Amino acid sequence: GGANRTSIPATSYDVSLDELSYFIDASFQAGDYVSGTFGMRYIDTEINVRQNEVEPTPLPYGDTQRDAGDIFSSNDYTVALPALNVNYRPTDDWTFRFSYSKNMIAHDLGTYGGGLQVFTNSCEEAVGGRCVTGADGGGNPFLEPWKTDNFDLSAEYYLGNATMFYVGLFKLDIESFTAGGTRRGSFPDSDGVIRREVDVSTTVLGEGGSIEGVELGAKFDFSDFTDSFLRDFGLDLNYTYAPSDSNDTDLVGNALPFTDNSEDSYNVVAWFQSEKWQARLAYNYRSERYTGEGAGIPQFQDEAAYLDAQVTYDATDNVS
């Protein structure tokens, strides 16, 4: 037969997210060495979601389930986000910085939307020959946003106009984040009889965790040290060590890291810049990262490295 374009009710949805922000900030200076900023941001959020309700009777061979109506949900929340930045510069060569901020990130709209999709397999016990094996719960309109408390402390030493070394300590206390989860649900087989409970995958809030570590870096502009042909070259280097804790454990009780966080990462960038020519060669690396559970088994994405090169020639003031 012919093929007809159709929407899939279980994965079609409407989401509106409205944010109203109020904020105040101020700067300060104490003597010749201390300066900074502080402020507060207050966010009022309203989320409205329309999800399709699908007919509970499963159709054979994964056919699209029929739309049985709409489910409307609303969620609203308010968050206060303070921030403080303090800079201490005792000499022209040294700068020390401290910052604290509370942060919030709303989720992708698809995380709020989505309908219920029921999965079936062939069986003999049900009239019609299809039995429910599981379900995808789609979106969760009632998720709270990501929330973190961020602390940073750094020291910077300057050797020239564009050359410096720095070390930074950081800590992220993660109050909430999204994670894959399951709940139990009951749905009728092809003959309308409910025979069992099955797992329903959905999105839930994780129990929090933390990421803390150290970043080391240096920036070199060789024009700060020489007038030879090397004066047009430079290097940018940094390394980050960031162990994490998600409060989750694997099958034998070992602690799991925070989702999508690499413990080791570094970047090496060599650059050249003259009056007409610019060139940049960058190598970026990150170690393996935990991506979540599949069938109850922790899964990791392998380490990754990237090499990028770019060369630019300015033919005129307007054309490159």
Side-chain angles (χ1 to χ4, degrees), residues 174-197:
I174 302 166
E175 179 181 335
S176 58
F177 64 97
T178 56
T182 59
R183 60 179 175 85
R184 300 290 287 176
S186 300
F187 309 95
D189 294 332
S190 56
D191 56 3
V193 178
I194 297 175
R195 292 182 169 88
R196 69 195 64 80
E197 282 192 343

Side-chain angles (χ1 to χ4, degrees), residues 19-286:
E19 285 186 349
L20 184 60
S21 296
Y22 312 84
F23 61 90
I24 183 172
D25 61 74
S27 59
F28 62 89
Q29 183 161 344
D32 296 329
Y33 306 125
V34 178
S35 63
T37 61
F38 65 93
M40 173 72 74
R41 187 156 60 106
Y42 184 84
I43 301 179
D44 188 357
T45 302
E46 181 177 343
I47 301 170
N48 291 287
V49 179
R50 181 198 61 81
Q51 296 170 289
N52 288 317
E53 184 178 10
V54 297
E55 291 184 358
T57 303
L59 300 179
Y61 309 112
D63 199 2
T64 299
Q65 291 169 277
R66 298 183 181 90
D67 189 353
D70 294 320
I71 302 172
F72 294 93
S73 304
S74 295
N75 185 19
D76 61 83
Y77 54 82
T78 56
V79 179
L81 306 173
L84 171 68
N85 299 278
V86 180
N87 307 312
Y88 174 57
R89 191 173 186 182
T91 70
D92 290 339
D93 299 333
W94 283 96
T95 299
F96 300 90
R97 305 182 193 274
F98 168 79
S99 68
Y100 163 76
S101 63
K102 190 175 186 66
N103 296 275
M104 181 209 80
I105 304 174
H107 306 294
D108 294 338
L109 297 187
T111 307
Y112 298 113
L116 177 67
Q117 189 171 14
V118 178
F119 306 114
T120 66
N121 206 344
S122 59
C123 65
E124 297 180 354
E125 56 186 310
V127 178
R130 307 297 295 184
C131 291
V132 175
T133 58
D136 185 344
N140 184 348
F142 302 102
L143 286 174
E144 291 291 313
W146 281 64
K147 296 177 185 177
T148 67
D149 288 287
N150 295 16
F151 302 86
D152 295 273
L153 181 66
S154 67
E156 305 165 4
Y157 179 68
Y158 295 85
L159 284 84
N161 291 328
T163 301
M164 65 175 293
F165 296 93
Y166 65 90
V167 57
L169 304 176
F170 60 88
K171 181 178 178 64
L172 281 71
D173 282 328
I174 302 166
E175 179 181 335
S176 58
F177 64 97
T178 56
T182 59
R183 60 179 175 85
R184 300 290 287 176
S186 300
F187 309 95
D189 294 332
S190 56
D191 56 3
V193 178
I194 297 175
R195 292 182 169 88
R196 69 195 64 80
E197 282 192 343
V198 296
D199 287 335
V200 182
S201 61
T202 187
T203 302
V204 299
L205 281 182
E207 296 181 358
S210 65
I211 302 173
E212 55 191 25
V214 59
E215 180 178 358
L216 306 172
K219 296 178 179 290
F220 296 97
D221 184 340
F222 293 153
S223 65
D224 286 334
F225 310 103
T226 180
D227 290 327
S228 69
F229 76 97
L230 290 174
R231 67 183 180 275
D232 293 329
F233 290 86
L235 287 172
D236 291 347
L237 312 168
N238 65 68
Y239 165 75
T240 302
Y241 175 66
S244 62
D245 175 19
S246 67
N247 294 326
D248 288 336
T249 58
D250 62 16
L251 296 175
V252 295
N254 296 321
L256 289 170
F258 192 76
T259 304
D260 204 36
N261 177 69
S262 293
E263 187 169 285
D264 297 285
S265 60
Y266 61 84
N267 305 280
V268 180
V269 181
W271 55 264
F272 169 84
Q273 182 164 332
S274 65
E275 184 177 351
K276 292 287 187 179
W277 289 93
Q278 302 93 44
R280 184 178 183 272
L281 187 66
Y283 182 83
N284 314 107
Y285 168 85
R286 63 181 299 179

